[in-house]
Amino acid sequence: MKCKLQRIAIPDTHPFLNCKLDREKYASVLKTIVLTYREGCVLAVNGKWGTGKTTFVEMWAKYLELDNIHTLYFNAWENDFISDPIVGLLGELKKISSQKQTEDALLSVINTAGKIVLKAAPAIIRGVLKKYAGEEVIDVCTDSIEEGASLLKKEIDNYEEQKFCLKQFQADLTKFVEDVCGEKPLVFIVDELDRCNPNYAVRVLERIKHLFSIPNIVFVLSIDKNQLSNSIRGYYGSDLIDSEEYLKRFIDIEYSLPEPNVDKFCNYLYEYYEFRAFFGTKERNEYFSRDDESESFLKISQALFKHKKLTLRQIEKIFGNTRLSLKMFAYNNYVYPDLLFLLTYFRLCESSLYEKICNREYNAQELINQIELIIPKYLLKKHETYGNHSSRFILFTIARLLECYNCDENGITHEKLMTDKVQNEDRTLTFTVQTIDQKTLIDALDWMETRQSGNFSLSHILNKINLLENFRN
């Protein structure tokens, strides 16, 4: 059984072959952008953490190489131990320097860069005070003026030299890129910048802006802009700084990666983690319907993830944990896969609620209040296409949760959830609901009561989610 999603293979000849999110069309759009900006630019590909940006830009890099566009990939997070990011950036350039002519050009670039990144002289005031602390005031005044004048001259000379070196560096770099790339741009992808420590993240932006702003280099920043904005505020030590405006100084074009297709991703994970193999065994099918189990499982997962705006990483983790829990069920145990899935979601994304459910800290009214706060309102109402609508599966799963939560390990219920059946009278709930479609919830509870399908304790499932039992072969 697979227990973790492995890195997707990216074939050189068809980079998006294994893409499960239908993102190749965005790669084509971005290629047009980088080919358009011949004067060079900084393009930000924006998306939340865990939405598959890294996989996308890795596929895109190979996609560009099919068109003979040189691409470089620099993971800033893995290299933020380097004192100056220019070291890592120039290190990546060496990967496309294969011929003697281009190697010599790159060596010239590196030599010039070395002069730029040399540490500046100590600050004038700090150096003077340190040297003359404890001297007589008149001596300090006299000597510090002379020392200050000397240091100031050195700083001015250094400033002039740095300006010259910067121009020389950009000229050498321009020639190098022309020699290597010809008419096409060099695409330099910088990934995981938003995960770096704030000092390093800002340093990378400054180096790109001030040193690498030349024709025919397109920098692509794969970022979560909100997180990078937090780093900028952290760097300056103030929440008042307008980080959005600050980033505009460095980013020329911003492209927001469209949200992934959750349905497709859930279907992929369902097959990848071999849920079908579990639900479809011959032994289980003698007891239960595979279609009923798999349909309820997929419907609730797709609906919940789509409306809760979970990231791909969160979705994958919930699928993986759910599949691990299934390993503890015998083939003839009814799983209630929808309930198992909902509780696993609570455990990973709503931990406080899950802990209180495990400790039975709620009564029925308190539990339903919490559910109505967490589950999107759209999924708690009845819809026109209700028979096959995801809300139906959600409401029946909530009813299942109430039934199982209300039952102890001996099959004894703690409180009535509905009024008793009386001929010609509709049953009502013993608690109130604000958003949930009341009639549907009553129908679901009545259906479960009739089939006696809810008369076992929730601990039957919780023990497996919490890995408190041994795995089944």
Side-chain angles (χ1 to χ4, degrees):
M1 184 198 83
K2 297 173 183 175
C3 59
K4 185 178 180 182
L5 191 63
Q6 301 299 315
R7 288 180 64 87
I8 295 175
I10 307 176
D12 292 337
T13 55
H14 193 170
F16 284 88
L17 178 66
N18 298 318
C19 178
K20 308 302 177 182
L21 303 173
D22 192 25
R23 282 178 163 172
E24 186 170 358
K25 55 192 174 187
Y26 310 135
S28 177
V29 172
L30 290 173
K31 184 176 80 170
T32 301
I33 292 174
V34 300
L35 289 175
T36 301
Y37 282 80
R38 295 294 308 278
E39 294 305 310
C41 69
V42 176
L43 165 67
V45 177
N46 180 39
K48 292 181 180 179
W49 280 354
T51 53
K53 293 190 303 300
T54 294
T55 301
F56 172 75
V57 296
E58 287 177 346
M59 290 179 173
W60 185 51
K62 289 193 174 183
Y63 176 86
L64 292 174
E65 287 168 2
L66 290 175
D67 201 22
N68 296 317
I69 300 173
H70 285 283
T71 63
L72 294 172
Y73 176 86
F74 178 68
N75 189 310
W77 190 33
E78 291 179 356
N79 292 280
D80 69 355
F81 63 90
I82 301 172
S83 58
D84 194 310
I86 196 174
V87 176
L89 296 173
L90 291 176
E92 294 299 323
L93 284 176
K94 292 186 68 175
K95 295 179 180 179
I96 59 171
S97 173
S98 56
Q99 299 178 358
K100 181 67 168 63
Q101 180 183 359
T102 58
E103 286 180 354
D104 290 343
L106 180 60
L107 182 60
S108 179
V109 172
I110 292 172
N111 287 337
T112 310
K115 298 175 184 178
I116 297 173
V117 299
L118 286 175
K119 291 184 178 179
I124 294 173
I125 299 299
R126 183 183 300 173
V128 169
L129 289 177
K130 182 177 180 180
K131 184 172 182 178
Y132 294 102
E135 298 277 350
E136 292 293 331
V137 175
I138 188 168
D139 292 335
V140 170
C141 291
T142 303
D143 293 340
S144 65
I145 289 172
E146 294 177 0
E147 180 74 6
S150 175
L151 285 174
L152 180 58
K153 183 178 184 303
K154 290 179 181 178
E155 286 292 308
I156 292 172
D157 292 342
N158 184 52
Y159 166 72
E160 292 296 334
E161 183 182 358
Q162 293 242 336
K163 280 180 63 178
F164 173 79
C165 289
L166 175 58
K167 290 180 180 179
Q168 187 63 46
F169 171 82
Q170 291 179 331
D172 291 343
L173 185 59
T174 299
K175 183 178 184 307
F176 171 74
V177 172
E178 287 176 354
D179 290 344
V180 173
C181 302
E183 296 296 318
K184 293 183 178 179
L186 169 63
V187 177
F188 208 133
I189 298 170
V190 178
D191 195 15
E192 305 276 26
L193 186 61
D194 41 60
R195 292 181 182 272
C196 298
N197 72 69
N199 290 357
Y200 189 81
V202 171
R203 192 76 165 156
V204 170
L205 291 173
E206 289 176 343
R207 287 307 193 197
I208 291 173
K209 177 69 173 178
H210 300 305
L211 299 182
F212 290 85
S213 183
I214 65 168
N216 254 21
I217 289 187
V218 176
F219 273 90
V220 179
L221 308 180
S222 174
I223 58 171
D224 179 337
K225 194 169 76 169
N226 289 334
Q227 297 298 334
L228 186 55
S229 295
N230 290 337
S231 291
I232 291 167
R233 286 190 287 268
Y235 175 78
Y236 286 102
S238 172
D239 290 334
L240 300 178
I241 186 172
D242 189 343
S243 55
E244 289 267 348
E245 196 62 34
Y246 178 88
L247 281 173
K248 289 179 182 178
R249 296 168 50 199
F250 301 97
I251 297 172
D252 301 302
I253 309 165
E254 183 179 329
Y255 183 87
S256 292
L257 200 60
E259 291 187 3
N261 187 311
V262 172
D263 289 353
K264 287 184 178 180
F265 192 60
C266 287
N267 285 328
Y268 165 65
L269 292 176
Y270 185 83
E271 298 297 334
Y272 180 88
Y273 282 116
E274 301 172 348
F275 284 93
R276 191 177 302 280
F278 176 85
F279 292 133
T281 60
K282 180 180 178 181
E283 293 83 2
R284 282 194 67 77
N285 290 162
E286 292 177 359
Y287 290 87
F288 316 111
S289 166
R290 177 183 67 185
D291 291 341
D292 287 347
E293 290 188 316
S294 61
E295 184 183 19
S296 63
F297 184 91
L298 279 172
K299 282 283 186 180
I300 190 174
S301 65
Q302 291 168 345
L304 196 58
F305 293 153
K306 191 179 301 180
H307 293 280
K308 291 294 288 186
K309 304 290 185 184
L310 266 64
T311 67
L312 300 182
R313 188 174 293 123
Q314 289 173 311
I315 294 172
E316 186 274 325
K317 198 166 187 177
I318 293 169
F319 264 87
N321 277 257
T322 304
R323 186 63 182 91
L324 188 63
S325 299
L326 285 176
K327 188 71 175 171
M328 296 188 172
F329 285 89
Y331 70 88
N332 59 349
N333 284 157
Y334 195 75
V335 175
Y336 297 143
D338 51 351
L339 180 55
L340 174 70
F341 187 85
L342 182 64
L343 288 168
T344 303
Y345 162 73
F346 286 163
R347 179 172 180 259
L348 295 176
C349 299
E350 304 288 349
S351 56
S352 178
L353 169 64
Y354 181 79
E355 184 177 346
K356 290 179 179 179
I357 287 175
C358 290
N359 295 331
R360 294 190 174 277
E361 296 183 27
Y362 297 121
N363 58 32
Q365 182 65 66
E366 292 168 338
L367 179 57
I368 208 68
N369 290 346
Q370 292 301 312
I371 289 172
E372 288 191 310
L373 286 174
I374 289 172
I375 304 295
K377 290 180 172 55
Y378 175 81
L379 298 176
L380 299 178
K381 297 177 180 178
K382 189 173 181 178
H383 299 269
E384 291 182 6
T385 57
Y386 174 69
N388 195 40
H389 197 278
S390 52
S391 66
R392 175 178 178 272
F393 292 89
I394 294 286
L395 290 170
F396 266 72
T397 304
I398 291 171
R400 177 86 63 198
L401 173 60
L402 288 169
E403 283 277 8
C404 294
Y405 184 81
N406 193 42
C407 184
D408 66 20
E409 294 183 359
N410 298 315
I412 300 173
T413 56
H414 294 283
E415 57 182 305
K416 284 187 176 184
L417 300 177
M418 297 187 296
T419 56
D420 294 330
K421 290 183 178 180
V422 177
Q423 192 173 7
N424 298 326
E425 288 187 17
D426 293 331
R427 303 182 76 178
T428 60
L429 299 172
T430 59
F431 53 88
T432 60
V433 293
Q434 301 297 322
T435 307
I436 290 175
D437 182 76
Q438 183 167 301
K439 185 179 184 308
T440 302
L441 187 60
I442 291 172
D443 290 344
L445 289 169
D446 188 56
W447 182 84
M448 291 174 190
E449 185 181 285
T450 301
R451 287 158 180 75
Q452 296 184 337
S453 59
N455 60 342
F456 70 90
S457 172
L458 200 61
S459 60
H460 172 72
I461 294 178
L462 293 176
N463 286 343
K464 294 172 174 59
I465 295 175
N466 295 333
L467 306 182
L468 298 178
E469 299 178 12
N470 202 0
F471 293 110
R472 305 279 181 175
N473 293 324

